[in-house]
Each structure stands twice: as C-alpha cells, then as structure tokens.
Amino acid sequence: MGLTATQMSLCFQSYWYMWLTNGLAGLIFIGINIGVAAFFLRKFQLKKQASAYERTPQVADSSKRPFSASEIQTYEDPYADPYAGNISRASSRKSPMYPGASEDNEEFTESTLKLLNGYRARHSAEPLTVNEQLCEIAQRWAEQMARTGKLEHSPAEMRNFGRQTLGENFGASFQAELTGDKMVRKWMKESKRYMYGFDGRKDTENFTQSVWQGSREIGVGRARSEDGNWWYGVVVFDPPGNIPNQYSNNVLLPKE
C-alpha cells in the first residue's frame, strides 16, 4: 500500500524539523566549546602577562634592597652630555640642570610628595619617600621633554632600576608655572573614571600609579622649555604600579 501525498509531506516535514533541530544543537554545542576555549586562553594569556610584570617587593631603605649597588648596571644615557661619559645607577651625584630648567625644584618635590601622600592615606596606602637616584632619572626625562616639546613616557631603558622598570607619571603646564599641587590634583581627577576592582585604563594610569599600594619611593623632576612657555614635571615610582591583575589589591577605595 503506497503513501498518500499528505503522508509523504508529513514525513518530509518531520525529517526537515529533525535535521534543523540537530543542526542548531550542534552549532550551539560548537559555540559553547569555542567560548570556553577562548575564556581559558584569555585567562592564560593574562596570567602569563602578569607574571612578566611581577616584581620583588622593595623597602623604603635602599640599603636593604635584595640587590646591592654594585649589581645596578651602568648604561649609556642617549640624552646625557656626550662628554659626560656613562651614568651609573649607583651614582649619587646631582644631575646637571638643563639651561632652561628650574633651578629650585626642592619646593616642587616637597609639595608633590606631600600631596601624593595625602591622597595615598585616603586610599590606605603607605607614604612615599624621596630617593635621590630616582630624582636624577626623573630630572633627566623632564629636561628631555623640555628640549623636544614632546609630552610622552621615557624609554624603558631610561627607567631600568636594578631588576625592574620604574613606574612613571608626568605633567605639563603652558605659561603658568607647573606646581606639585597642580600636577598631582590633575592626576587625581582620573579617579572619577576608574572602576575599582578592575584593571585600569590608559586614561586612569596616573591616578592608579599614584595610590598604588606596592610603591614605596619616588623621584621627582621638573624642567622649563628654553622659550619659557612650557613647564614639564616627572615622577618615577619604585616599585612600579599598574601591573595587570593586581589592581584590586593595590588600588583601594577611598576612606569615607
């Protein structure tokens, strides 16, 4: 007995629905597997990236560092006086001032330190101390920006301090003198954009570095352009902040 046209149509419809259902289920299964694989791959990449940034904890007293001054490598500073020779990280001499640089940066350093520590206290972070060697590094880069007129981060090789690359914040002011108060308050305004508990972004990195729990020492530098119109300020931090996957433990909510 043959099938009627209606029965054949129902058979084809049943077969079509079964094929469509199985196909969709297969696609969903593949999509879930791809999503899970992508999640774990991303997690592995972030973990690997974070491990590359891990640093040995430092203490404020430089004499108690886990490495001695003799371990600090000397290097050729591309921005130094070509007749001055190599500059050693262990050297304690004063960095020569650029002709257009401010000759009185002591007040600038003190006001920067005072305001930074005030904000750090609000975020339950230990106070910072000034390190003369770090000040030399910060001053050299402030002078370089004053020469070139470019507001940018220094090359990593200029911030190699012992076994790590220093953190760095900078600021500038046109015509009006750049004060420590003005510079730090501008960085702190970035806190309005920061989402606590998450990694920071480029537009919040000055704030997060400033209140980073792990940082203990800073170096401060300031210079003025040769035409007198621009002021440039630099602060370097040791140990550095803004390390991926470590923000939640180092950038804490402000006290009420």
Side-chain angles (χ1 to χ4, degrees):
M1 181 177 178
L3 296 175
T4 64
T6 301
Q7 290 174 327
M8 291 182 65
S9 176
L10 290 173
C11 286
F12 279 118
Q13 287 181 8
S14 299
Y15 175 81
W16 169 254
Y17 289 143
M18 182 178 65
W19 181 87
L20 181 62
T21 302
N22 290 337
L24 289 175
L27 289 174
I28 292 172
F29 179 79
I30 293 173
I32 292 174
N33 278 275
I34 292 175
V36 171
F39 171 80
F40 283 104
L41 179 61
R42 177 59 176 166
K43 189 173 182 180
F44 172 77
Q45 289 175 337
L46 289 174
K47 185 176 181 180
K48 185 177 180 181
Q49 185 179 14
S51 64
Y53 282 90
E54 287 180 357
R55 302 291 184 252
T56 303
Q58 305 291 312
V59 293
D61 185 356
S62 59
S63 65
K64 297 180 181 178
R65 293 182 182 281
F67 51 86
S68 64
S70 62
E71 290 181 275
I72 302 177
Q73 300 295 318
T74 60
Y75 75 110
E76 186 71 21
D77 184 353
Y79 306 109
D81 184 343
Y83 301 102
N86 290 346
I87 297 175
S88 171
R89 293 293 185 192
S91 170
S92 61
R93 68 174 178 80
K94 293 289 185 180
S95 176
M97 296 291 287
Y98 175 61
S102 169
E103 295 180 357
D104 184 15
N105 281 345
E106 185 175 348
E107 183 178 346
F108 177 76
T109 299
E110 290 178 355
S111 63
T112 299
L113 177 66
K114 181 179 180 180
L115 200 58
L116 278 174
N117 282 339
Y119 280 109
R120 287 175 66 84
R122 291 178 58 188
H123 290 268
S124 304
E126 293 293 323
L128 300 164
T129 58
V130 174
N131 180 300
E132 187 176 338
Q133 295 176 34
L134 299 183
C135 286
E136 293 180 10
I137 296 171
Q139 184 62 37
R140 282 200 295 270
W141 188 243
E143 292 168 8
Q144 173 63 11
M145 289 196 293
R147 291 189 188 97
T148 63
K150 295 180 180 179
L151 190 65
E152 59 187 358
H153 280 294
S154 61
E157 59 268 20
M158 281 195 70
R159 287 180 279 132
N160 285 343
F161 193 69
R163 297 171 181 163
Q164 60 192 355
T165 301
L166 301 170
E168 182 181 69
N169 286 0
F170 53 75
S173 178
F174 180 64
Q175 293 185 339
E177 180 180 0
L178 179 65
T179 64
D181 185 89
K182 179 189 296 185
M183 182 173 68
V184 174
R185 289 186 187 280
K186 183 176 181 180
W187 295 342
M188 292 304 116
K189 289 181 180 179
E190 297 177 2
S191 63
K192 298 177 181 178
R193 298 189 292 271
Y194 179 66
M195 296 181 63
Y196 290 90
F198 295 87
D199 280 8
R201 308 178 307 189
K202 192 170 183 63
D203 60 352
T204 61
E205 63 183 7
N206 291 309
F207 160 68
T208 51
Q209 171 61 90
S210 296
V211 300
W212 194 265
Q213 293 278 320
S215 297
R216 290 292 181 267
E217 294 181 310
I218 60 170
V220 183
R222 183 180 67 165
R224 193 176 186 181
S225 62
E226 198 166 11
D227 61 11
N229 286 329
W230 284 92
W231 294 79
Y232 298 89
V234 177
V235 178
V236 293
F237 296 79
D238 179 34
N242 295 338
I243 301 174
N245 296 333
Q246 296 188 24
Y247 282 79
S248 59
N249 294 327
N250 283 279
V251 183
L252 306 184
L253 284 164
K255 298 177 182 178
E256 294 296 335

